[in-house]
Amino acid sequence: MARTDTVEEEATAATATAAARRGPGRKRDEATRHAILRAAYETLEAEGYGGFTIEAVAARSGAAKTTIYRWWPSKGALAIDSFLDLYQREAPFPQTRSASEDLKANLRLMAKIWGGRYGCIIAGIIAAGQSDAATIELYNERLVKPRREEGLRLLQRGIANGEFRPDIDIEAALDALYGAFYGRLLAWLEPLDPAWAERLCDTVLRGLMV
Amino acid sequence: MARTDTVEEEATAATATAAARRGPGRKRDEATRHAILRAAYETLEAEGYGGFTIEAVAARSGAAKTTIYRWWPSKGALAIDSFLDLYQREAPFPQTRSASEDLKANLRLMAKIWGGRYGCIIAGIIAAGQSDAATIELYNERLVKPRREEGLRLLQRGIANGEFRPDIDIEAALDALYGAFYGRLLAWLEPLDPAWAERLCDTVLRGLMV
Amino acid sequence: MARTDTVEEEATAATATAAARRGPGRKRDEATRHAILRAAYETLEAEGYGGFTIEAVAARSGAAKTTIYRWWPSKGALAIDSFLDLYQREAPFPQTRSASEDLKANLRLMAKIWGGRYGCIIAGIIAAGQSDAATIELYNERLVKPRREEGLRLLQRGIANGEFRPDIDIEAALDALYGAFYGRLLAWLEPLDPAWAERLCDTVLRGLMV
Amino acid sequence: MARTDTVEEEATAATATAAARRGPGRKRDEATRHAILRAAYETLEAEGYGGFTIEAVAARSGAAKTTIYRWWPSKGALAIDSFLDLYQREAPFPQTRSASEDLKANLRLMAKIWGGRYGCIIAGIIAAGQSDAATIELYNERLVKPRREEGLRLLQRGIANGEFRPDIDIEAALDALYGAFYGRLLAWLEPLDPAWAERLCDTVLRGLMV
DNA sequence: TAGTAAACGAGACGGTACGTCATGTCTTTAT
DNA sequence: ATAAAGACATGACGTACCGTCTCGTTTACTA
């Protein structure tokens, strides 16, 4: 469908604005692009972020380093691109049941994903982002913001249908709910699993006070 | 004070068990140790974690790289050591008023500190920890666990004095309260300030549901 | 004049045999050819041979790299082509007076040219030729041989009219007279100027022995 | 003998002034230095100057690129160092017979060496020197000047003992005699052999005029 | 007046080597 | 026994050009 194509293209546009450019010159080789992305993801999985090196990706993909540098401004950007599609696919945002049930389902799913093989990749990207502003901004733009937007809508829906109090601080609530993942993943090294996510959800929904 | 001394000794013990060893030979040069720690902290502040290099610390302190490697197992360990004392001093855990008031005060103070010059240092350490297990474990041991312990006691006190419900999941509550700092600091790049901390505290204490 | 035309055509023929080919297809764009040659010469003058890059010439001329590669087999060939016409024009071979006077005049002129802005260009071309056989052969063919031929005729004329001994080794004499330029230009970095050329000429003509 | 040592050290001093420094710190590893020089020479012989790459020398020698860069400022300097000792050994300056005989013997020997396996190495170094001032200066300092000095003395000896005219221009004579080698080696690609050297010598000694 | 062949610009691509940087180990000399 | 100095192997960095390869467009000769 045309619309889907457009969305796809917009998603890609962040790193490949060139795709839209018309004019003479050889076109970007899609096969190469895919080979690089695939090699990048494989490297991330096989070596972790520590072994995620432009040289390694070049070697594994058969592409030249220069080609990678031409299209991705930094290691982090490549890493994000390489696993974003896969991640998106595995993390749909449920919108079917009650707001609190949807929230719980979403947190459970996220815990499952973050607790699995994507966890250390995400951790690596965020780590890289601490010394590379572009990377962390890209992470924000492509991963955080869309999902936070969904969270915002979910909470608004909950307010609208009377599940949540109308005076809650939505930002703070999202900080509490999703921040916990970052703390456990990055600093506390505690496991992330659906059961924990459920407890977290319950705790924040009900609050601490009597 | 005895307590302070104990903490100090414990702090030093982790990286410098050699100090206690008896036997022949020149004693460890305390002046050198301090010069290194000071240089390390200055480097962190001046260059950020990106420019925090063993090489740079050696150059700034006048010590040899080998000397640094002898006493600290990794970059991260040195970074933690270099700012821990300062950090500890600035972040006391209030234990005076009601549990919820104490909690709020603590979160406000923490937001102030993390929002200031220590924020990027902490971010750098956690980033380094993602590819260096020893660093993140040290961070946990020296910074997270003691404070989490205090948080645990605070919540238990709140339960005991009837402020909080007795069935709350303390772990999940701490995850929500403190995790938010990590999310904002590391990934979302949102400012950390006392006003936000207060909103966070209120939100988690009261919960979202009607 | 007929002679000039012939030389011109021969000069061009080496790199553009295609011009003669008949058949369909767009003709070679003379404007482009000139733009490339001009850009090449300018690059040589401005950057020296070190900065003489196909990329640089392409950028300066506005031509595509492919166009350059289509018409010139190597960097060196382009360099030679780019300055040959100019060089030829400035270095006529005098044939008017006595053989020894003509020789001296020729050496003086050559010293003037090699000591000026062409010197480093020639040096660069010879340097490139050391790792590119085609270049040095082209240099030989286009620059050395014609002039050496003239030198040969000059010496023969001198023998014929009794100025020079009939048993001299012409090859060795030319080696001595012209080789000195290469030594000073390429290795000894001594200045080349007419006064020196005159002393050189006298020395070789008269010999060293009593 | 002390004097010899001093001379040796001076010769080495150009690239290793550090040798004399006293104080703490690991000493330069002579084995590494030799391995590098040997690998450099082997590379020159095997690949020619075109394949003479710091990377290649590093790979062949087992040393790190950084180590090479620490001790040699440029490719050219390394190339010169790597073959200088060998060259020096093979090219003594005869001082036994008459000046003209000594000169002829020297030119014959030089032609033999330049015509052999050292020729293309020298050509490569001079080529590199055209775009690297330090290299050509080093070549001058270490190879040209000492020998030219000997040539100067030889001619002065010839003047003193009545073989040569007292009014000859020594500089010009040396230019003619040795320059011929550069012309043939670098530009004309004519073979260098003892028979030619002899003819050259005779020609310059006797002169061209009747 | 088509068809078609070549020239041309643009620029993507796989490569090679560059010179630099930081790491962590090792060796030497001085205290 | 420590410390300072610093040589060393390692390995990745990001860059500059290389020479080759599509592309889409323009030109001009031929059928």
Side-chain angles (χ1 to χ4, degrees), chain B residues 145-200:
Chain B
K145 284 201 183 149
R147 283 159 192 282
R148 201 162 166 107
E149 196 65 32
E150 303 246 35
L152 174 71
R153 280 200 287 273
L154 190 151
L155 292 190
Q156 285 171 332
R157 183 153 56 91
I159 292 169
N161 69 17
E163 285 182 83
F164 302 146
R165 279 183 291 105
D167 64 338
I168 60 175
D169 186 318
I170 293 180
E171 286 302 314
L174 294 173
D175 287 346
L177 288 165
Y178 292 109
F181 286 78
Y182 288 89
R184 287 178 84 96
L185 176 70
L186 297 167
W188 310 329
L189 309 180
E190 302 282 349
L192 291 162
D193 57 78
W196 163 81
E198 201 155 323
R199 289 187 291 125
L200 173 74

Side-chain angles (χ1 to χ4, degrees), chain C residues 97-113:
Chain C
R97 290 166 286 175
S98 75
S100 53
E101 285 303 307
D102 281 358
L103 180 61
K104 187 171 291 179
N106 176 247
L107 293 175
R108 284 178 57 100
L109 179 58
M110 186 168 161
K112 184 154 158 272
I113 293 172

Side-chain angles (χ1 to χ4, degrees), chain A residues 50 103 123-124 126-127 130-131 136-137 139-140 144 148 155 162-165 167-169 171-180 182-189 196 199-200 203-210, chain B residues 50 103 123-124 126-127 130-131 136-137 139-140 144 148 155 162-165 167-169 171-180 182-189 196 199-200 203-210:
Chain A
L103 180 61
I126 294 169
Q130 300 313 307
S131 51
I136 201 67
E137 273 159 25
Y139 173 83
N140 246 300
V144 175
R148 202 165 165 106
L155 292 189
E163 286 181 82
F164 303 146
R165 279 183 289 106
D167 64 338
I168 60 174
D169 185 319
E171 287 301 315
L174 294 172
D175 286 348
L177 288 165
Y178 293 109
Y182 288 89
R184 287 177 84 96
L185 176 70
L186 297 167
W188 311 329
L189 308 181
W196 163 79
R199 290 188 287 125
L200 173 73
T203 300
V204 175
L205 286 185
R206 296 182 53 204
L208 305 182
M209 301 177 79
V210 278
Chain B
L103 180 61
I126 293 168
Q130 301 313 307
S131 51
I136 200 68
E137 274 158 25
Y139 173 81
N140 247 298
V144 175
R148 201 162 166 107
L155 292 190
E163 285 182 83
F164 302 146
R165 279 183 291 105
D167 64 338
I168 60 175
D169 186 318
E171 286 302 314
L174 294 173
D175 287 346
L177 288 165
Y178 292 109
Y182 288 89
R184 287 178 84 96
L185 176 70
L186 297 167
W188 310 329
L189 309 180
W196 163 81
R199 289 187 291 125
L200 173 74
T203 300
V204 175
L205 287 184
R206 296 183 53 202
L208 305 182
M209 300 175 78
V210 277

